Amino acid sequence: GQQVMQIPQYQHVQEGEDFTTYCNSSTTLSNIQWYKQRPGGHPVFLIQLVKSGEVKKQKRLTFQFGEAKKNSSLHITATQTTDVGTYFCAPDRGSTLGRLYFGRGTQLTVWP
Amino acid sequence: KAGVTQTPRYLIKTRGQQVTLSCSPISGHRSVSWYQQTPGQGLQFLFEYFSETQRNKGNFPGRFSGRQFSNSRSEMNVSTLELGDSALYLCASSLTGGNNEQFFGPGTRLTVL
């Protein structure tokens, strides 16, 4: 099955510090999606990366897809308390009946 | 446009019982996926339905089953409940599944006593 490792599992930062979570696959991916789940909430789609080496930005969030399309990262600059939550990557291998496999997520805590 | 709805939101059952959870996808979405979420385990894929057919299945025992109706609404059933089945069950809808963006419902919190 899909081998996806997301690290770190937990990250505690002080407000204003940067944060990065990584998603690593053992196989080449067709694309990868990122989701955020706030405490007590449900996952919400953030972005999809498709191209090798792709970089996308959403305000303070920067998403990257590796050149080999086997890994991806989400970087948050100057974290805020509103960034608290669990960030999941969801890689897709692009098979005919492709489906998403979610990583275990990185739980981010931000201290004010 | 209305989001994904799930009913009930909370459920308490005892071991050995069975339970049925319901999910209404966003209008026009034909794919519905179900996930089990427990602390520290992330989102574990249960199955995906598309046009009333199960298209993908995760590694869960046969006690977990589902179906999809012609209006794309979906139900999942868990028979002979075990304590370990206590979890948040999330359904997600998308236009056609696969690598389409998934829209999650609020989930059903199942507690098995």
Side-chain angles (χ1 to χ4, degrees), chain B residues 37-100:
Chain B
Q37 187 173 36
T38 52
Q41 291 299 313
L43 291 157
Q44 308 256 39
F45 175 77
L46 281 155
F47 28 65
E48 180 207 5
Y49 285 87
F50 179 79
S51 293
E52 302 178 65
T53 301
Q54 187 181 86
R55 188 159 69 172
N56 283 296
K57 189 177 189 303
N59 295 323
F60 277 81
R63 299 185 297 107
F64 292 81
S65 63
R67 60 178 175 168
Q68 187 179 34
F69 302 94
S70 58
N71 62 358
S72 292
R73 189 177 70 85
S74 178
E75 289 182 345
M76 69 162 278
N77 183 276
V78 188
S79 62
T80 320
L81 284 166
E82 300 177 359
L83 295 179
D85 297 332
S86 293
L88 179 67
Y89 290 89
L90 292 158
C91 95
S93 80
S94 67
L95 278 170
T96 58
N99 62 4
N100 288 159

Side-chain angles (χ1 to χ4, degrees), chain B residues 18-29:
Chain B
Q18 76 162 15
V19 66
T20 299
L21 312 181
S22 181
C23 172
S24 292
I26 291 172
S27 177
H29 285 192

Side-chain angles (χ1 to χ4, degrees), chain B residues 94-109:
Chain B
S94 67
L95 278 170
T96 58
N99 62 4
N100 288 159
E101 172 186 351
Q102 296 201 32
F103 295 82
F104 284 82
T108 294
R109 173 74 62 185

Side-chain angles (χ1 to χ4, degrees), chain A residues 50-56 63-69 71:
Chain A
V50 179
K51 300 176 184 175
S52 168
E54 189 170 17
V55 178
K56 286 188 176 180
F63 303 84
Q64 288 189 304
F65 202 8
E67 293 291 341
K69 299 182 74 172
N71 52 65

Side-chain angles (χ1 to χ4, degrees), chain A residues 37-43 84-86, chain B residues 9-10 37 88 90 105-107 109:
Chain A
Q37 183 175 21
R38 294 180 184 274
H42 57 272
V84 165
T86 301
Chain B
R9 294 292 310 280
Y10 302 92
Q37 187 173 36
L88 179 67
L90 292 158
R109 173 74 62 185

